[in-house]
Amino acid sequence: SRRRTSASSFASGGTGDRFDGSDAAPPPPFYDDLVIRATAIAALLAVPASGAAGAAWLPPSAVAPAARGGGAPAVAGNDAGRAVAAWATRSGVMATLRTPGGPWYSPVRVPGSGRGAGDVAVAMTAAGLAAVTWIEGGRVRASIRPDRRRFLPAVTLSPRGQVASSPRVTFGRGCSPAVTWTRATAGGGSAVRAACGLGGGRFRPAVTLSASGEVASTPAIAGSRAGTIVLWRQDEGGRYRVRSATRGPAGAFSPPDTVSPSGTAVVVDPSVALAPDGVAVAAWTLTQGSQVVAQAASRPVTGGWTRPDDLSRPADQVRGARVAVDRSGAALAAWTRSGVVQVSERPAGGGWE
């Protein structure tokens, strides 16, 4: 049966120590006017495997001084206990770092970011390499932070005159980092685009992943040693389905692949995860009239996507389906149903429980 837990909000972090892009020891902390709070960051803190079962959430702690016009933070971390958080302010994109077992450093403005920034996303590798992407002036911008160095000056990934939205970022072998987004097309349509990093803060030219003539939106992205996968919603004039494109450690992204069959039910906010061996798991919500259901599908190392499974019972308030997968291929999906968080587990090679 599906496991459930009450929905609630979590926040955690550390002190606002000075962060200049390096991992040098910070000076004494300050606490005045700290109001920007990174949501659920405690989930990213390193916990030894022997103590993970008994680990508790840390209390909330603000990580940045007061600033008007601040946006919601984006957060990423790794198994070593490093974490990065970034958010938009009136003066640009701010970012801060947490070192293993240490406090949060004082945030700095990402070089090259400016007024009008928003829709921030971040990612981090096991080695501590970080990437942040955002929308500024209708264009996609990105900055990389090499391990133990400062953020590099921002680069622009989308051309002027093509309004972009919904940037997402990950690290996948051969595409590090990978950034995806939606851009407006002629006639009121939209396409999903992606660009791969080349190192040194440089990127390859962006490519279009969705097929010509599709109305594609709400991309999700995941990466691992197996490569990179992008998922999106396709609107076919009132009929919807989930599509994907995959890139291995070398080569180009694949042509679009169908994840869910076409239908009149509206696909909302897809999510995707990619295991190191190439197993992919996707989740989304499907709305038909007043009823909504959470669904998931998986793709083995070889072969196509499985037929979608219903994870929840239909209800009028099912939202925010998210999915994760571990090294063995075991998966976990979570969503809210009428204000209650529900989860479903899928053992490696098995079905959803």
Side-chain angles (χ1 to χ4, degrees), residues 3-224:
R3 298 185 180 184
R4 305 179 185 180
T5 182
S6 297
S8 54
S9 298
F10 299 90
S12 184
T15 58
D17 304 302
R18 176 67 186 166
F19 168 47
D20 64 359
S22 72
D23 290 339
F30 68 87
Y31 299 92
D32 295 338
D33 298 322
L34 303 180
V35 296
I36 300 291
R37 298 178 183 269
T39 305
I41 292 174
L44 303 173
L45 307 186
V47 178
S50 60
W57 289 95
L58 300 179
S61 180
V63 300
R68 293 187 177 184
V75 186
N78 62 22
D79 291 344
R82 296 180 186 274
V84 60
W87 59 94
T89 69
R90 291 183 177 181
S91 61
V93 175
M94 306 298 292
T96 183
L97 179 78
R98 180 191 183 274
T99 55
W104 287 91
Y105 292 93
S106 179
V108 296
R109 187 174 68 86
V110 176
S113 66
R115 296 177 63 87
D119 208 355
V120 178
V122 296
M124 174 173 273
T125 69
L129 178 68
V132 56
T133 184
W134 66 95
I135 298 295
E136 185 178 326
R139 306 171 75 184
V140 180
R141 310 203 70 202
S143 174
I144 314 301
R145 180 191 179 271
D147 187 28
R148 301 178 185 274
R149 300 180 185 178
R150 295 176 174 85
F151 276 99
L152 299 178
V155 296
T156 302
L157 304 183
S158 63
R160 192 180 304 276
Q162 296 180 356
V163 178
S165 61
S166 306
R168 301 292 183 265
V169 61
T170 191
F171 286 92
R173 187 176 180 183
C175 192
S176 188
V179 180
T180 187
W181 64 91
T182 300
R183 74 169 177 88
T185 58
S190 58
V192 170
R193 304 264 289 171
C196 287
L198 286 169
R202 298 173 298 122
F203 283 80
R204 294 183 177 91
V207 297
T208 300
L209 304 184
S210 52
S212 177
E214 290 186 356
V215 179
S217 62
T218 61
I221 193 170
S224 73

